[in-house]
């Protein structure tokens, strides 16, 4: 199940949405919000940790917005179940390339 919200949400509100998805029987909760400041980016990482601790199912928490690239590169490190990537020659979007995602995983988990 996927919920795309084109606005900033607090970590607690994202957890509420994930909990509703879980109660509906999803295997993976997917929630996409917006980050437009450093403070909202900090909250995005806090959201990952809150979901990891409290949700009880796999989740993919993503952000769009002007501060989202760091979150998309690191969100699986903080608990999201996967990356959404682009092939290596396509660097036109905020989604990490396969090469960048692999480099982060190898650096942090080898």
């Amino acid at each position: 199940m996927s919920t795309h919200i084109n606005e900033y949400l607090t970590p607690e509100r994202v957890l509420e949405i994930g909990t509703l998805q879980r109660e509906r029987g999803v295997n993976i909760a997917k929630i996409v919000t917006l980050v437009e400041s450093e403070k909202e980016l900090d909250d995005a990482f806090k959201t990952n940790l809150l979901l990891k601790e409290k949700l009880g199912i796999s989740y993919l928490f993503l952000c769009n917005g002007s501060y989202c690239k760091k979150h998309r590169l690191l969100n699986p490190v903080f608990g999201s179940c996967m990356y959404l990537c682009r092939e290596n020659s396509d660097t036109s979007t905020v989604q990490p390339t396969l090469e960048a995602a692999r480099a982060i995983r190898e650096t942090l988990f080898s």
Side-chain angles (χ1 to χ4, degrees):
M1 179 176 282
S2 181
T3 303
H4 290 247
I5 302 162
N6 195 27
E7 62 186 52
Y8 163 79
L9 295 178
T10 65
E12 294 77 19
R13 182 66 182 125
V14 175
L15 177 60
E16 289 173 14
I17 293 167
T19 300
L20 290 170
Q21 289 184 5
R22 183 189 68 214
E23 290 171 355
R24 292 179 179 145
V26 302
N27 295 324
I28 298 173
K30 180 183 176 195
I31 304 163
V32 183
T33 64
L34 189 68
V35 292
E36 294 290 356
S37 70
E38 287 287 338
K39 194 308 188 190
E40 291 176 1
L41 178 60
D42 290 346
D43 281 354
F45 288 118
K46 290 175 188 173
T47 299
N48 274 92
L49 297 173
L50 184 64
L51 292 170
K52 182 178 180 180
E53 179 184 340
K54 305 267 184 180
L55 190 57
I57 61 170
S58 295
Y59 69 90
L60 176 57
F61 173 59
L62 297 170
C63 299
N64 290 318
S66 56
Y67 283 78
C68 73
K69 192 161 188 170
K70 289 178 187 175
H71 185 264
R72 286 190 177 241
L73 281 168
L74 294 172
N75 101 60
V77 175
F78 287 88
S80 282
C81 67
M82 69 182 88
Y83 281 100
L84 293 184
C85 297
R86 296 280 183 183
E87 55 101 10
N88 291 332
S89 66
D90 182 1
T91 59
S92 64
T93 70
V94 297
Q95 290 183 352
T97 63
L98 290 167
E99 186 176 89
R102 180 181 305 132
I104 289 170
R105 304 251 342 140
E106 288 175 355
T107 300
L108 296 174
F109 298 110
S110 60

